Amino acid sequence: MKNSEYLASTSYFDYHNSAVQDYADSIVSDDTLSDKEIAVRLYKAVRDDIRYNPYTFSDKTESFSASYVIEAQESYCIPKAVLLGTLARYKGIPSRIGLADVKNHLSSQQLVDFLRSDVFVMHGYIELYIEGKWVKATPAFNARLCRIMGVEPLEFDGESDSVFHEFNGEGEKHMEYLAEHGTFEDLPLDFILDSIRKAYPHLSDAAVLADSQTHSLEQDINSVK
């Protein structure tokens, strides 16, 4: 597994980029740590350093790369998962991207209105190969946003799958997986964009996407408090 395609640097998992290497080394500089310890440190950094903002979606190829996410300091589930997978590969931990369609019962009304649906196609997570098995990790929602939403930040221990809270702190349904699309050694960009265009055809309008860049999920939630 250590010599597999799941360790390769690509245009998306771009750990050949110096900014990616510098970020990874700032998180993990101790070469005595186990893969599990490294993965947990990387997960928490990506989860909380990069603000979750679904309105940052763009169909530009470069926006899905790890280096782009580091520079932007905000993104959504797919690029954040790619970033975690990229950092892991740089540190010698194989990774692969997973995609699924989910229903978010606690999304903001503004985001539902923007998407014209409460179903989120192409939700991204990452799988890391740790101690002989693949383990799912989802670093999407940063801790600050979770506090605003009244949800505990999703933890990851490097041993058990960490996908999404089924319920929030009040016992209300939070996230529900509707369909799994499998895992991929590199980001299947055409598949992602085709699926998004079919689910949300209005997002093909450049003006709609440009206007969305001025919004954030935190603003949505704070506006109704």
Side-chain angles (χ1 to χ4, degrees):
M1 181 59 70
K2 289 293 185 181
N3 297 316
S4 77
E5 64 274 20
Y6 299 111
L7 281 167
S9 181
T10 72
S11 58
Y12 305 108
F13 292 80
D14 58 343
Y15 65 75
H16 54 273
N17 183 285
S18 60
V20 175
Q21 296 178 12
D22 290 345
Y23 181 52
D25 290 338
S26 73
I27 301 165
V28 177
S29 57
D30 185 348
D31 59 8
T32 67
L33 296 177
S34 67
D35 282 356
K36 182 168 66 175
E37 291 170 323
I38 292 170
V40 170
R41 288 194 184 188
L42 295 177
Y43 171 85
K44 289 183 176 179
V46 173
R47 184 192 70 186
D48 295 337
D49 289 350
I50 309 298
R51 184 175 69 150
Y52 175 77
N53 186 1
Y55 292 109
T56 60
F57 169 77
S58 170
D59 57 4
K60 294 180 179 178
T61 301
E62 63 269 20
S63 70
F64 291 86
S65 70
S67 57
Y68 184 95
V69 178
I70 292 173
E71 181 178 0
Q73 288 293 290
E74 64 174 2
S75 195
Y76 55 101
C77 56
I78 296 176
K80 288 191 69 171
V82 169
L83 174 57
L84 175 56
T86 303
L87 300 176
R89 289 185 183 191
Y90 175 62
K91 291 298 180 178
I93 301 173
S95 68
R96 60 190 186 188
I97 188 75
L99 298 168
D101 297 342
V102 301
K103 187 171 185 178
N104 190 343
H105 294 268
L106 295 182
S107 177
S108 71
Q109 187 58 51
Q110 292 95 322
L111 182 56
V112 171
D113 291 344
F114 171 66
L115 294 177
R116 303 176 189 174
S117 173
D118 64 352
V119 173
F120 293 72
V121 302
M122 297 292 105
H123 165 68
Y125 58 88
I126 202 73
E127 289 192 350
L128 306 176
Y129 194 76
I130 303 171
E131 298 181 352
K133 66 176 183 178
W134 289 103
V135 184
K136 294 180 173 64
T138 308
F141 281 8
N142 54 294
R144 170 183 163 81
L145 179 62
C146 287
R147 288 193 295 270
I148 294 173
M149 295 179 68
V151 178
E152 288 295 317
L154 191 65
E155 297 296 341
F156 175 65
D157 62 8
E159 297 179 6
S160 305
D161 289 342
S162 178
V163 183
F164 249 118
H165 299 293
E166 185 178 357
F167 301 96
N168 71 353
E170 284 71 48
E172 300 170 312
K173 287 188 73 67
H174 180 215
M175 187 70 76
E176 176 183 3
Y177 278 69
L178 303 177
E180 287 277 359
H181 299 295
T183 58
F184 307 83
E185 65 188 61
D186 200 4
L187 189 77
L189 184 60
D190 290 341
F191 174 52
I192 291 171
L193 293 182
D194 287 347
S195 298
I196 289 174
R197 287 167 183 147
K198 289 176 182 176
Y200 320 113
H202 59 289
L203 295 187
S204 297
D205 186 334
V208 172
L209 284 182
D211 180 65
S212 74
Q213 305 299 308
T214 64
H215 299 278
S216 76
L217 191 56
E218 286 187 18
Q219 291 171 335
D220 288 354
I221 297 167
N222 287 325
S223 69
V224 297
K225 287 191 172 183

